[in-house]
């Protein structure tokens, strides 16, 4: 998990000693294939949309270390998906260590709800989620927080207003706007997806490739109808 922590022999009273060394992510395996698919879609589509941006970091199922007193809170493991803005896009990170990242916490967090939550009734489930919700609200101060159930399609979002999470009002399509991402999040074919302010679905690289092939096929067909062989066009 971490190299040995060395504490200087003389420490000023009340001085915070931050653990040193490498911190590896220590998240449990994803519960289902649906959880994996959802995280990959959120990750790849945002990276594709922001392929020219270098000032952000996003990750899935990665541990966030935030306490200098203990390397990880016993009550908290990493978010399923998170985005940090105004940082370097270093994909070699083994975890997100807050005190080594200039004190930065995620700007956006998305939790993919699990079957273990679904075993409880709705009231108990909400209380269970509120534990993480309180950490994100009171410690992380993460501006935008969402949760999504890939089986029931339950989807809720919150934004931090005056230090307290307030529910985000959905638009006519049922999408929720993230001020941090400047994108909507909403359901599309049973998955949580991004939409632009103009209402366009943010594609994954694979979807974009399919769209480009379809455009090329349509153009080729049009040229053939005009008596032009598309293969003759350089």
């Amino acid at each position: 998990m971490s190299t040995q922590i060395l504490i200087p022999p003389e420490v000023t009273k009340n001085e915070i000693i931050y653990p040193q060394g490498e911190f590896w992510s220590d998240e449990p395996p994803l519960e289902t294939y649906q959880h994996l698919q959802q995280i990959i879609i959120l990750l790849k589509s945002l990276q594709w949309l922001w392929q020219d941006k270098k000032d952000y970091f996003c990750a899935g199922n990665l541990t966030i270390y935030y306490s200098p007193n203990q390397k990880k809170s016993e009550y908290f493991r990493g978010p399923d998906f998170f985005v940090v803005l105004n940082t370097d896009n270093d994909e070699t990170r083994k975890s997100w260590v807050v005190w080594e990242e200039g004190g930065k916490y995620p700007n956006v967090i998305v939790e993919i709800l699990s079957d273990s939550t679904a075993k409880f009734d709705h009231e108990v489930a909400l209380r269970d989620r509120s534990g993480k919700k309180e950490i994100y609200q009171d410690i992380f101060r993460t501006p935008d927080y969402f949760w999504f159930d890939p089986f029931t399609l339950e989807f809720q979002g919150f934004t931090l207003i005056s230090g307290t999470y307030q529910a985000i009002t959905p638009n006519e399509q049922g999408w929720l706007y993230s001020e941090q991402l400047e994108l909507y999040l909403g359901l599309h074919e049973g998955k949580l997806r991004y939409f632009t302010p103009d209402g366009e679905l943010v594609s994954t690289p694979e979807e974009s490739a399919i769209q480009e092939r379809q455009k090329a096929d349509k153009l080729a067909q049009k040229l053939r109808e005009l008596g032009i062989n598309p293969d003759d066009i350089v």
Side-chain angles (χ1 to χ4, degrees), residues 155-196:
F155 172 47
Q156 294 193 46
F158 307 87
T159 191
L160 200 63
I161 299 176
S162 299
T164 303
Y165 275 137
Q166 303 294 331
I168 299 173
T169 302
N171 67 0
E172 294 180 356
Q173 291 82 9
W175 305 341
L176 305 180
Y177 190 68
S178 168
E179 294 281 354
Q180 297 294 303
L181 300 178
E182 298 182 341
L183 296 169
Y184 284 99
L185 282 86
L187 302 184
H188 175 75
E189 297 182 349
K191 295 288 188 282
L192 186 62
R193 301 293 300 267
Y194 306 111
F195 298 86
T196 69

Side-chain angles (χ1 to χ4, degrees), residues 32-90:
T32 67
Y33 181 57
Q34 285 79 4
H35 285 72
L36 175 61
Q37 279 188 314
Q38 182 60 75
I39 292 173
I40 289 175
I41 286 174
L42 291 172
L43 186 69
K44 294 177 72 173
S45 55
L46 188 64
Q47 289 176 328
W48 183 247
L49 178 68
W50 287 357
Q51 57 188 285
D52 296 327
K53 288 172 62 69
K54 304 298 180 185
D55 59 348
Y56 80 99
F57 177 75
C58 63
N61 206 39
L62 194 74
T63 301
I64 295 177
Y65 295 102
Y66 61 92
S67 171
N69 300 315
Q70 54 190 37
K71 287 177 290 193
K72 182 170 58 185
S73 167
E74 64 181 298
Y75 304 112
F76 175 69
R77 303 181 76 87
D80 292 318
F81 177 79
F82 68 90
V83 182
V84 183
L85 303 176
N86 301 313
T87 189
D88 63 281
N89 194 5
D90 181 4

Side-chain angles (χ1 to χ4, degrees), residues 1-226:
M1 280 292 300
S2 171
T3 56
Q4 183 179 5
I5 300 172
L6 300 178
I7 301 178
E10 295 184 1
V11 178
T12 303
K13 185 178 181 180
N14 298 326
E15 180 181 356
I16 297 176
I17 302 302
Y18 290 94
Q20 302 298 310
E22 289 189 323
F23 293 84
W24 293 75
S25 185
D26 188 29
E27 295 311 299
L30 296 173
E31 190 157 327
T32 67
Y33 181 57
Q34 285 79 4
H35 285 72
L36 175 61
Q37 279 188 314
Q38 182 60 75
I39 292 173
I40 289 175
I41 286 174
L42 291 172
L43 186 69
K44 294 177 72 173
S45 55
L46 188 64
Q47 289 176 328
W48 183 247
L49 178 68
W50 287 357
Q51 57 188 285
D52 296 327
K53 288 172 62 69
K54 304 298 180 185
D55 59 348
Y56 80 99
F57 177 75
C58 63
N61 206 39
L62 194 74
T63 301
I64 295 177
Y65 295 102
Y66 61 92
S67 171
N69 300 315
Q70 54 190 37
K71 287 177 290 193
K72 182 170 58 185
S73 167
E74 64 181 298
Y75 304 112
F76 175 69
R77 303 181 76 87
D80 292 318
F81 177 79
F82 68 90
V83 182
V84 183
L85 303 176
N86 301 313
T87 189
D88 63 281
N89 194 5
D90 181 4
E91 296 183 356
T92 66
R93 287 183 175 93
K94 301 177 179 66
S95 62
W96 184 268
V97 184
V98 170
W99 59 87
E100 293 181 359
E101 300 287 354
K104 289 182 177 295
Y105 286 88
N107 294 75
V108 178
I109 286 176
V110 180
E111 289 286 2
I112 314 300
L113 304 185
S114 65
D115 285 346
S116 59
T117 303
K119 293 176 183 178
F120 300 93
D121 62 39
H122 194 259
E123 180 181 353
V124 175
L126 284 174
R127 283 206 305 270
D128 177 65
R129 294 169 206 163
S130 70
K132 285 187 176 181
K133 184 180 175 184
E134 289 172 358
I135 290 176
Y136 300 153
Q137 172 185 276
D138 300 333
I139 299 176
F140 283 27
R141 314 296 289 170
T142 293
D144 291 343
Y145 166 51
F146 302 88
W147 72 53
F148 172 65
D149 189 317
F151 294 98
T152 68
L153 304 186
E154 177 187 351
F155 172 47
Q156 294 193 46
F158 307 87
T159 191
L160 200 63
I161 299 176
S162 299
T164 303
Y165 275 137
Q166 303 294 331
I168 299 173
T169 302
N171 67 0
E172 294 180 356
Q173 291 82 9
W175 305 341
L176 305 180
Y177 190 68
S178 168
E179 294 281 354
Q180 297 294 303
L181 300 178
E182 298 182 341
L183 296 169
Y184 284 99
L185 282 86
L187 302 184
H188 175 75
E189 297 182 349
K191 295 288 188 282
L192 186 62
R193 301 293 300 267
Y194 306 111
F195 298 86
T196 69
D198 295 330
E200 294 184 7
L201 176 69
V202 175
S203 301
T204 64
E206 294 80 7
E207 290 169 338
S208 294
I210 292 173
Q211 292 168 8
E212 290 302 316
R213 285 199 300 270
Q214 290 174 340
K215 290 179 182 178
D217 290 343
K218 289 180 179 178
L219 176 59
Q221 179 61 34
K222 186 64 175 179
L223 290 172
R224 291 189 183 97
E225 292 174 357
L226 297 173

